[in-house]
Amino acid sequence: VFEGPSPELHAFQTAREEATAAGAWLASLSATGYAPAEVCVLVRSETERSRAAEALAAAGLSDEAIRIGTMHEAKGLEFRAVAVMACDQD
């Protein structure tokens, strides 16, 4: 518990750039043996859920395989890898 690599922070100019980068990261996880159930993509609220779905599509993955949820929904859950998206300034 509470052990693992330090989080990586990335800033993007557009939501599309964010989705493309997150999709590439998710695809790399899949290629290195992470099971879909071990990975989650989190967003601030339901409004941003489509941005996470765009990242999965960019990776050639489905939201049936990798869980998409809000940060609130993830409370108490554990995943081997997590992408947090849509943490915009506004």
Side-chain angles (χ1 to χ4, degrees), residues 3-55:
E3 293 184 19
S6 296
E8 294 180 24
L9 301 176
H10 301 275
F12 303 97
Q13 295 297 314
T14 67
R16 180 166 303 279
E17 287 178 12
E18 175 191 45
T20 300
W25 181 74
L26 291 166
S28 75
L29 292 177
S30 180
T32 57
Y34 281 69
E38 298 176 313
V39 181
C40 182
V41 180
L42 299 177
V43 293
R44 289 177 294 134
S45 69
E46 290 295 325
T47 306
E48 291 86 16
R49 191 177 287 268
S50 63
R51 287 170 69 171
E54 187 178 344

Side-chain angles (χ1 to χ4, degrees), residues 4 21 26 35 41 43 52 56-58 63 65 67-68 73-74 81-82 84-85:
L26 291 166
V41 180
V43 293
L56 291 177
D63 58 356
R67 183 172 180 162
I68 295 175
E73 292 171 336
V82 176
V84 179
M85 296 181 64

